[in-house]
Amino acid sequence: HAPTSCFLLERIFPAGGELLQIKKARKLDIDEDTYFEILRAKTASLLAASCAAGAYSSKNNKQDAEKFKLLGEKIGIAFQIRDDLFDYGTEQIGKPTGIDIKERKMTLPLIYALKHATFADRKRIIYIIKNNNTDRNKVNEVIEFVTQSGGIVYTRKKMSEFHHQALELLASYPDSTARQAMIELVNYSIERKY
């Protein structure tokens, strides 16, 4: 199975997700499509590989492996979106908020808020992220801007979409303890508290 396994891994692990994120962070010009491309190349590719490899090793069926690859991608994206929401302090999780802003990472809540901002607000927020990203009060100003702009609500909606898509992929399989375990994993990706 070595040639098939290599083929599978090449299809699952796209190159350059981390480099793309670093490059785009310098310019603060990540749009929603690029954000999802980065997630697919990082967090989602790991879960996609794990799910596909598990499916292929148990059934030796390329169709199931591809389906589970897609399932893993959906879980990974939902998981990362949940992680990005933690940074905006929507819940008390015991870690500081605003870390992504301090690191100049463009995550979905901020991307959405900037896309729908006035020119003046967009310019002000980008200035803060570039020049005042270590000032706690300024970081809080960005968090408040994102929240008031609907960035949190929109991001939760997108997370829910990936969650439902993952559950739909599992719905085609008969009820079993394995399927139930996968459903629990899908639910955990968006319900986790840390």
Side-chain angles (χ1 to χ4, degrees):
H1 301 308
T4 304
S5 299
C6 291
F7 169 76
L8 191 58
L9 288 174
E10 286 172 6
R11 297 212 34 217
I12 292 170
F13 287 112
E18 188 70 35
L19 293 175
L20 178 60
Q21 186 174 34
I22 291 167
K23 176 185 171 191
K24 292 291 189 175
R26 288 186 193 138
K27 296 181 181 182
L28 296 176
D29 66 348
I30 294 177
D31 60 15
E32 194 170 322
D33 289 339
T34 304
Y35 169 79
F36 285 115
E37 182 183 337
I38 290 168
L39 293 192
R40 283 184 183 94
K42 291 175 63 182
T43 309
S45 66
L46 177 61
L47 282 165
S50 300
C51 289
Y56 190 79
S57 68
S58 68
K59 286 191 167 185
N60 196 12
N61 179 314
K62 286 184 183 179
Q63 185 177 1
D64 275 336
E66 285 296 323
K67 196 173 203 178
F68 270 78
K69 174 190 168 198
L70 185 58
L71 173 68
E73 181 179 286
K74 304 287 184 194
I75 296 169
I77 291 172
F79 183 94
Q80 187 58 54
I81 292 173
R82 179 72 171 139
D83 197 63
D84 293 344
L85 283 167
F86 287 144
D87 200 55
Y88 286 88
T90 56
E91 296 170 29
Q92 295 299 320
I93 58 166
K95 74 175 193 178
T97 57
I99 292 171
D100 288 340
I101 296 165
K102 290 175 186 172
E103 294 176 357
R104 297 170 60 170
K105 287 183 182 173
M106 297 284 288
T107 60
L108 191 56
L110 179 59
I111 291 166
Y112 177 87
L114 288 174
K115 181 179 178 183
H116 295 88
T118 64
F119 177 79
D121 280 342
R122 180 178 170 80
K123 188 174 176 180
R124 176 177 59 85
I125 295 301
I126 288 175
Y127 180 86
I128 290 171
I129 295 168
K130 284 184 175 180
N131 301 294
N132 303 118
N133 59 342
T134 58
D135 179 329
R136 184 73 233 167
N137 291 330
K138 292 293 187 180
V139 169
N140 286 340
E141 186 178 331
V142 173
I143 291 170
E144 182 64 23
F145 166 78
V146 168
T147 303
Q148 294 301 316
S149 300
I152 303 302
V153 171
Y154 177 78
T155 301
R156 283 190 175 141
K157 179 178 172 255
K158 293 302 284 187
M159 179 180 68
S160 181
E161 287 173 14
F162 283 99
H163 173 252
H164 289 298
Q165 290 167 10
L167 291 176
E168 284 175 8
L169 285 166
L170 288 170
S172 64
Y173 291 93
D175 193 24
S176 67
T177 55
R179 179 175 172 250
Q180 191 56 43
M182 290 304 294
I183 289 171
E184 288 175 20
L185 175 64
V186 171
N187 290 337
Y188 172 77
S189 70
I190 70 159
E191 293 171 356
R192 65 194 179 94
K193 301 299 182 192
Y194 49 88

